[in-house]
Amino acid sequence: MTNPQPQLIDNQNAARDIEVIRKRPDFLAANRGKRFVTPSFVLLAHKRRDDHPVAADTVRYGITVTKKIGNAVARNRMKRRFRALLAELLPQYGIAGADHIMIGRKEGQERDFTMMKADLEKALKHLAKKL
C-alpha cells in the first residue's frame, strides 16, 4: 500500500474565502457599486457594509446571464466559462470585503477564453483602485 501524497496548500489562496452570492438583495446592492464594461461581460464590484453578516475578508461573486444571450445551452456554457475565469483569478485579484457580479453580454459567447481572462484581470485591477 502506498502512502498518499501530501496536500500542498497555497497560503495566498487559503487566506481568502470565496463564496457565491445567491440572494437577490445582494445582487441589487452590487448594482450600486462600480462597474467595468468589456465586450464579453460587465463586472460590478460593491464593498459590503461593515454590519453585513459575511466576514469582512471574504470575496463573493455572482453570475448573471439573461435569456437575451441565447438558449439554455448557450447560457449554461457562458456561466461555466465565467465560473472558470473567476476560480482562476479571484483568489489573486479579488477585492476582499467586496461582492463581484459578472453579467454576460451577447459578444461573450464566441470570445476567446484567454482574451476574456485578460479582460477580467484588467477589470479586477481597475475596480480595486476605484473601491
Side-chain angles (χ1 to χ4, degrees):
M1 191 158 127
T2 63
N3 291 338
Q5 290 289 336
Q7 293 290 331
L8 298 176
I9 298 173
D10 185 2
N11 289 333
Q12 181 182 8
N13 293 344
R16 239 184 226 177
D17 290 333
I18 298 176
E19 293 182 5
V20 179
I21 300 171
R22 300 187 192 279
K23 305 245 184 238
R24 179 172 165 75
D26 292 334
F27 279 91
L28 295 175
N31 199 34
R32 293 189 302 264
K34 302 293 182 188
R35 63 186 60 228
F36 189 90
V37 180
T38 70
S40 52
F41 61 86
V42 176
L43 181 67
L44 306 174
H46 180 258
K47 278 281 196 189
R48 290 187 300 275
R49 298 183 325 266
D50 292 334
D51 62 341
H52 200 277
V54 176
D57 62 340
T58 302
V59 176
R60 297 196 318 165
Y61 73 90
I63 298 172
T64 301
V65 180
T66 66
K67 287 186 177 181
K68 292 179 187 177
I69 300 301
N71 63 9
V73 174
R75 293 193 308 271
N76 288 336
R77 180 169 192 256
M78 183 175 274
K79 287 188 273 190
R80 282 194 306 272
R81 294 178 82 194
F82 284 172
R83 278 193 292 273
L85 286 168
L86 290 167
E88 198 169 325
L89 294 176
L90 270 187
Q92 186 176 0
Y93 298 108
I95 305 161
D99 291 343
H100 306 77
I101 307 290
M102 283 186 79
I103 303 170
R105 298 183 74 192
K106 193 108 175 138
E107 294 83 16
Q109 288 179 313
E110 301 301 322
R111 191 143 167 108
D112 185 42
F113 190 79
T114 56
M115 293 175 76
M116 287 177 63
K117 182 178 174 183
D119 287 345
L120 181 58
E121 186 175 333
K122 182 179 175 183
L124 287 168
K125 287 178 181 178
H126 177 79
L127 291 174
K129 292 178 195 173
K130 296 285 184 180
L131 290 181

